[in-house]
Amino acid sequence: MSTMTLFFFAALLGICFGSLLNMVICRLPRMIKRQAEAGYNLWQPRSHCPHCGHVLACYDNIPLLSWLILRGNCRFCSHAISYRYPLVELSSMLLCMLMAALLPTGGTLIAAWTLVWLLLALALIDIEHQLLPDLLTIPLLWLGMLFQILHWLPHISLPQSVIGALSGYLMLWLLAQGYRWLRGKDALGMGDAKLLAALGAWLGWQALPLLLLLASGSSLIWLCTSHLLYRRPLTTPFPFGPGLASAGLILFIIGNAG
């Protein structure tokens, strides 16, 4: 496969999966919080305008292109459609192309795309709902081990993957329990521990200290920036998932780039 063909395929795959991620990001939290009506799931009802409820035709549901043609408004009620939809599709496309540019083709690239999609969904759900669903973190963990067995993650061994998963969960679980014992309240959710366990399965236990350092540093910068720009109180709970996801993806690229 030529380089141009690979990039085109990565872009097309990324933008299509970005559309799927929008559905997961929008619907999965509602399903978990039981805020949806009976029969509501990832596939039903069909895609519709969140304002007027009109079901979208196929030509109004083309990833990124339909939003641009309609100038970000519903065809039927002219209500503005969130920028999140095209941004998620664009981010997925660009990240998939980046993986294709930096990583060798084959199983490692397939694993990288899978990691991108799951981490992107987890990060955005955590930002909006402060929730890291088990339906995403647990498959991410098992996929890390499966891809290692398939030799798609050649930079780590299976024992390193297993120890990484166990160590990742235990580190944040102990931290959360210690804070609860000292202060009498929760500081970390177990979703963060499960996400770190999943990343430990992908990166190995050796990467965990640097992963936590990068995730904590980026989260602290984000918290301080939000306080300075938007007057967000420093005591307000903030999601740690995006920091873990971005740090994990960076370390994955560094460890696997050819």
Side-chain angles (χ1 to χ4, degrees), residues 151-164:
H151 303 292
W152 291 2
L153 305 177
H155 68 295
I156 62 170
S157 64
L158 183 58
Q160 291 171 339
S161 178
V162 174
I163 295 173

Side-chain angles (χ1 to χ4, degrees), residues 6 12 54 95 97-99 114 127 154 162 165 171 180 185 200 212 221 236:
L6 177 61
L12 183 61
H54 200 285
L95 285 171
M97 294 177 70
L98 179 65
M99 296 300 107
T114 305
I127 289 172
V162 174
M171 289 169 68
R180 184 184 297 119
K185 59 182 179 180
L212 280 175
I221 292 172
T236 302

